[in-house]
Amino acid sequence: MTRVWFGLAAIAAVALVGGFAVAEAQTGAAQQIAQRQDMMKANGQAMRTLTPMVRGEAAWNQQAAVQAATTLHNSARQIPAIFPEGTGPDAGKTDALPSIWQNWADFQAKAKAMETESAKLLELANAGDEAGFKAQFPNVGRTCGGCHEHYRAKRN
Amino acid sequence: MRPQRFWRTFAVASVLAFAACTLPAAAQAPDREAVRRGEYLFNAGGCLGCHTDVKGGGPPLAGGRALRTPFGTFYGPNITPDPDHGIGRWTEADFIRAMREGVRPDGAHYYPVFPYTSFTGMTDGDLRDLWAYLRSVPPVARPNRAHEVKFPFGFRPLLTIWKWLNFTPGPFSPDGTRPPAVNRGAYLVQAVAHCGECHTPRDALGGLDSSRLLAGTPDGPDGERVPNITPHPETGIGTWSAADLLDLLKLGMTPDGDFVGGSMGEVVRNTTSKLSDDDQRAVVAYLRSLPPIENRVTRRQNTPE
């Protein structure tokens, strides 16, 4: 009899630990989703800071340009790492499409495109090349839209 | 005597040479112009996306793109000039009837996934130019894939009733009380670029709700939320400046620095970014002239702090 109880207790313990592990994985995924959304928001903020300057509505500010371009360049390099498998729509509230993980090489290429174009933007900002910077801005923007077109859909 | 004959021969020869050079040119020149104008309309109409199987690596306009709707899955057909698999045997009149009336050359009705409900507004001249362009693309012998339509919609004659309820054929008529740019924008938005096919909510039968023109819907293609693009200040684009809207059309950027994705990403890449500056400004002028309609569809903060 005691053996039966012991067995049941063991099963319960395993189930409990397993349950925690699952819950842990879920909050882990939810956290990763929230973190990457924050990073994407920072990209949006950087583009928003630059827009009035690019349009000529605000005066050219080299320091602000360097700062925003740095944000963009740094986050481009982190994109593959902040989209680990298991953080798709099954894991939480996200607009990331499951096709990211079915076309991983292409997704990485789209992140690479943003890295390349934002590197050029940063170089132009550092060089103080205002005209070149303004001409490069849309090329960076197209890499944002180029990825969102395939891998993000507004569902939430 | 001799010089005269020389001049006569010269004159005849030069007339012949002139005719040889100019006749074919004269016959082709307007045609080439029509093709060029047609290509512009082709981009503005977003024909490429629905008629090309980009995911499967299919050739341009040879069909195969899957379009999922509540009524089933449709496959954009091959519209290259291939005589057997495309529309190579069509006449210009067949094409104009398909676009204006939503009717196949054999008299059957098209499903409204093919946005003829909007294209019907295109002018005859524009439809002829579009036809000239479609004739100029390389033919591709790729067979069409049959639509997978849910019961009972597979029965095309039912479309007679649908069209009777939801479809008003006929070219767009400009409103004389509005500035020309607003009319041009209305023509582009309503007829050619068919923005309303996604941005206007639909009724239970899939007809566009014309009382809520461009007011957005949570039930867009592929389950996307399609935002309200009337100038309502809280729920639409009422706080966007003209420059904000131009950036959206050119680049896909929204005032919060985000970039549209999904089907709108494709519309920006294939369509709005390829419009001329004047046409982009016309679209903006028209959108800003619309009556604002309150309808919250997305969580986006439209009011920059």
Side-chain angles (χ1 to χ4, degrees):
Chain A
M1 201 58 198
T2 41
R3 230 189 302 165
V4 173
W5 282 116
F6 184 73
L8 281 178
I11 291 168
V14 167
L16 207 63
V17 171
F20 276 137
V22 169
E24 175 65 22
Q26 263 164 5
T27 52
Q31 236 162 35
Q32 280 166 318
I33 290 172
Q35 273 166 5
R36 72 154 173 257
Q37 286 173 342
D38 283 346
M39 209 179 88
M40 280 291 170
K41 280 193 192 115
N43 287 330
Q45 187 57 48
M47 296 305 272
R48 200 177 128 187
T49 309
L50 295 174
T51 299
M53 259 196 269
V54 170
R55 283 185 194 155
E57 294 165 358
W60 168 250
N61 175 338
Q62 190 186 2
Q63 200 196 333
V66 169
Q67 204 179 357
T70 307
T71 302
L72 294 170
H73 185 54
N74 286 344
S75 81
R77 286 188 297 184
Q78 290 172 43
I79 286 178
I82 60 170
F83 284 93
E85 208 155 345
T87 59
D90 293 338
K93 241 189 160 103
T94 171
D95 289 334
L97 292 175
S99 56
I100 292 177
W101 296 279
Q102 288 150 18
N103 305 284
W104 183 247
D106 183 57
F107 183 77
Q108 276 180 303
K110 299 222 163 12
K112 189 81 198 164
M114 176 177 161
E115 187 183 330
T116 310
E117 297 302 331
S118 59
K120 286 184 202 157
L121 191 73
L122 181 56
E123 221 170 275
L124 292 159
N126 280 326
D129 181 349
E130 181 184 342
F133 186 93
K134 289 180 177 176
Q136 176 62 12
F137 179 83
N139 296 333
V140 176
R142 273 186 280 272
T143 66
C144 315
C147 184
H148 291 183
E149 175 183 343
H150 299 282
Y151 299 115
R152 187 186 71 164
K154 280 286 173 59
R155 297 237 163 90
N156 294 302
Chain B
M1 219 59 231
R2 262 190 164 294
Q4 218 178 342
R5 205 166 45 196
F6 167 79
W7 282 115
R8 210 182 298 144
T9 321
F10 179 80
V12 171
S14 46
V15 165
L16 285 177
F18 181 75
C21 297
T22 55
L23 270 185
Q28 263 168 20
D31 214 15
R32 224 178 294 148
E33 267 306 290
V35 169
R36 197 184 53 75
R37 288 193 306 265
E39 184 175 12
Y40 182 80
L41 293 160
F42 171 83
N43 288 327
C47 322
L48 185 74
C50 287
H51 287 281
T52 308
D53 178 16
V54 177
K55 276 193 188 142
L61 294 184
R65 157 99 177 245
L67 302 157
R68 273 169 270 278
T69 75
F71 306 98
T73 300
F74 295 85
Y75 295 93
N78 182 335
I79 55 167
T80 71
D82 186 80
D84 299 316
H85 302 291
I87 55 172
R89 288 185 219 270
W90 284 31
T91 62
E92 185 184 79
D94 288 337
F95 175 71
I96 293 181
R97 194 156 85 116
M99 298 285 284
R100 164 98 10 98
E101 295 166 32
V103 174
R104 220 160 59 177
D106 69 2
H109 296 291
Y110 286 118
Y111 288 100
V113 240
F114 169 27
Y116 60 82
T117 38
S118 296
F119 297 149
T120 188
M122 291 179 70
T123 63
D124 279 341
D126 279 357
L127 288 175
R128 279 195 294 268
D129 289 345
L130 191 50
W131 176 244
Y133 174 72
L134 289 178
R135 299 303 275 177
S136 78
V137 306
V140 180
R142 186 184 203 261
N144 281 328
R145 184 161 172 189
H147 305 315
E148 290 145 20
V149 191
K150 287 185 196 149
F151 180 80
F153 309 108
F155 186 57
R156 279 193 195 254
L158 276 182
L159 289 165
T160 318
I161 306 171
W162 188 90
K163 282 167 98 174
W164 180 68
L165 288 170
N166 297 300
F167 176 52
T168 325
F172 171 82
S173 53
D175 173 349
T177 65
R178 297 190 295 198
V182 172
N183 274 320
R184 174 70 183 164
Y187 176 67
L188 289 166
V189 166
Q190 290 174 17
V192 190
H194 59 272
C195 315
E197 297 282 341
C198 296
H199 283 279
T200 300
R202 291 176 188 272
D203 58 28
L205 282 175
L208 295 176
D209 178 354
S210 55
S211 69
R212 292 194 289 156
L213 200 69
L214 301 173
T217 166
D219 308 312
D222 270 334
E224 276 175 303
R225 289 180 170 268
V226 188
N228 179 350
I229 55 169
T230 72
H232 189 267
E234 282 91 38
T235 64
I237 52 147
T239 57
W240 295 36
S241 68
D244 290 338
L245 282 165
L246 281 174
D247 272 338
L248 187 284
L249 299 179
K250 285 178 198 289
L251 270 182
M253 186 168 69
T254 57
D256 54 1
D258 195 353
F259 282 73
V260 291
S263 57
M264 188 66 199
E266 184 175 329
V267 169
V268 169
R269 185 170 49 80
N270 277 338
T271 298
T272 60
S273 67
K274 292 185 177 164
L275 291 174
S276 67
D277 285 350
D278 280 348
D279 277 350
Q280 286 170 341
R281 275 193 289 271
V283 168
V284 170
Y286 170 65
L287 292 180
R288 299 182 94 197
S289 79
L290 285 167
I293 299 176
E294 179 168 5
N295 185 31
R296 184 172 296 284
V297 180
T298 55
R299 286 177 301 142
R300 185 193 302 296
Q301 268 294 345
N302 276 332
T303 336
E305 67 270 9

